[in-house]
Amino acid sequence: MPTAIAVTGADLVLPPADPGTPQAAVLPPPETRSLDASLADMQQLLGRYGHVVVICPTAAPTAVEHRLHAVRALLESDRIALVRTDLPPLGAAVLVRQLRQLAGCDFSPGVLASAARLLAHYIYAGAVLGSVSRLDRVPVSLGSHLKGWLPGAHFAVLAGPTPQIVRLGSGSGGEALAGPEFSTELLLARGQLQTDWPTTTLVPRWRIPGPVHEVPLPASSPGWWGTGKLVEFAAYLPDLHVLHQLVSSVRRETCHWCGMELIGDRCGFCAAPLPPAAPPPPDPGTRALGPGPRAGGHGPAAAGPPGAQALGPGAGGAAGARALGPGAGPARAALP
């Protein structure tokens, strides 16, 4: 039985990537749904799927977060995961679709919930803006603010994985947005800004093959970006096989608090962090020998256990990186 993926707004539900992509459950906003009705909705999802992973953007109204916490507390259920994301609306919708794709695979609910942080690192979410004067979710320099007052100024802004702002047009210094080092597809959502920069410049620069897909602009995008004069974009991994391999290659742990399976350093269901790794036990042979010879001495105490020098302290990490393949570096950075 697949884990249910629920969202806090219809804007987070993109068309399925393929016929096998499960649908997402849309939770109505608190102002349109009573608490009793929200409890009934969640009970129905739990009864049908067993576990529910709710994706809630950090930009969502506070009332939405409060309602989710109230529902989980009143149901006293440890089968509901509340996953927050800092991605802009279109990027968050891409993340939700990727989780929907993976929900139909063999991943446990705990791995699916904690995989959101990993997948977000591989989504290049941004927009072309007519102004950055009201942009407060991406760091904006004073120079960019001042240039925003120039007539016809446009800016290419990358919200993640690494924030960046580039002024477009002549005199911009030739700076370019840092793009992905892996094959992606591009999704566009057009607002009130008239520009083809994403398709004419970004696509060849980021070496994006295939057609560019367009969807309606999410209703929350103008508020997130601080202006309605924008074209929002997101470059992402579209292949389910690649997504499955990416998540499968990360070492799995067991949450010491709720017992759920997880990847990374934090449980997606109870948010408990992994405890620090226990120090290695002392070598019994060293205890038997007592203080033993000093540095440069001879005997077992100086030589150490067989194979220790060959492996070295970083052997485990290197093996994990090899298992991940080309994406090992970014994956470990996304899951510190």
Side-chain angles (χ1 to χ4, degrees):
M1 180 182 298
T3 301
I5 304 298
V7 295
T8 56
D11 285 348
L12 295 177
V13 182
L14 293 173
D18 54 70
T21 303
Q23 290 295 328
V26 180
L27 304 178
E31 61 270 17
T32 65
R33 198 77 165 164
S34 67
L35 179 57
D36 288 341
S38 295
L39 289 170
D41 293 340
M42 187 61 68
Q43 283 179 320
Q44 184 177 9
L45 287 174
L46 290 173
R48 181 177 179 183
Y49 295 97
H51 293 81
V52 180
V53 176
V54 184
I55 311 300
C56 179
T58 54
T62 305
V64 173
E65 182 183 3
H66 289 173
R67 172 61 61 87
L68 292 173
H69 283 288
V71 168
R72 188 170 63 174
L74 290 173
L75 291 178
E76 297 182 348
S77 176
D78 57 358
R79 295 181 293 151
I80 304 172
L82 305 182
V83 178
R84 309 303 304 274
T85 177
D86 294 324
L87 287 170
L90 190 62
V94 168
L95 174 63
V96 169
R97 185 165 65 180
Q98 290 179 335
L99 291 174
R100 289 162 53 196
Q101 290 177 273
L102 293 172
C105 300
D106 54 351
F107 293 117
S108 66
V111 169
L112 195 62
S114 54
R117 290 178 59 206
L118 171 65
L119 298 177
H121 188 82
Y122 290 85
I123 297 174
Y124 283 68
V128 182
L129 307 179
S131 171
V132 293
S133 60
R134 296 183 180 180
L135 179 62
D136 58 4
R137 299 188 182 278
V138 178
V140 182
S141 66
L142 178 60
S144 295
H145 270 299
L146 294 177
K147 292 175 182 177
W149 292 99
L150 297 176
H154 290 170
F155 297 87
V157 183
L158 196 63
T162 302
Q164 186 183 4
I165 297 180
V166 174
R167 184 182 172 227
L168 304 181
S170 59
S172 60
E175 186 181 3
L177 289 184
E181 298 179 357
F182 45 88
S183 180
T184 61
E185 286 188 3
L186 190 69
L187 191 67
L188 284 185
R190 298 184 182 274
Q192 300 174 9
L193 187 65
Q194 299 298 319
T195 178
D196 292 324
W197 184 86
T199 55
T200 59
T201 303
L202 195 63
V203 167
R205 184 171 292 168
W206 284 4
R207 299 178 181 177
I208 297 175
V212 175
H213 305 281
E214 294 197 24
V215 295
L217 184 72
S220 55
S221 291
W224 201 98
W225 293 103
T227 177
K229 295 183 178 180
L230 80 158
V231 176
E232 193 170 6
F233 59 83
Y236 60 96
L237 292 167
D239 195 316
L240 176 57
H241 175 73
V242 175
L243 294 173
H244 189 280
Q245 185 179 25
L246 179 64
V247 175
S248 300
S249 62
V250 182
R251 187 178 65 181
R252 302 185 188 187
E253 306 281 358
T254 299
C255 178
H256 70 285
W257 183 259
C258 69
M260 297 292 287
E261 211 177 18
L262 63 97
I263 59 175
D265 61 356
R266 187 173 298 276
C267 178
F269 274 79
C270 69
L274 283 180
D283 184 2
T286 303
R287 291 201 302 268
L289 288 172
R294 300 296 180 184
H298 303 283
Q309 295 176 355
L311 286 175
R322 288 195 297 270
L324 279 173
R332 294 181 63 85
L335 297 171

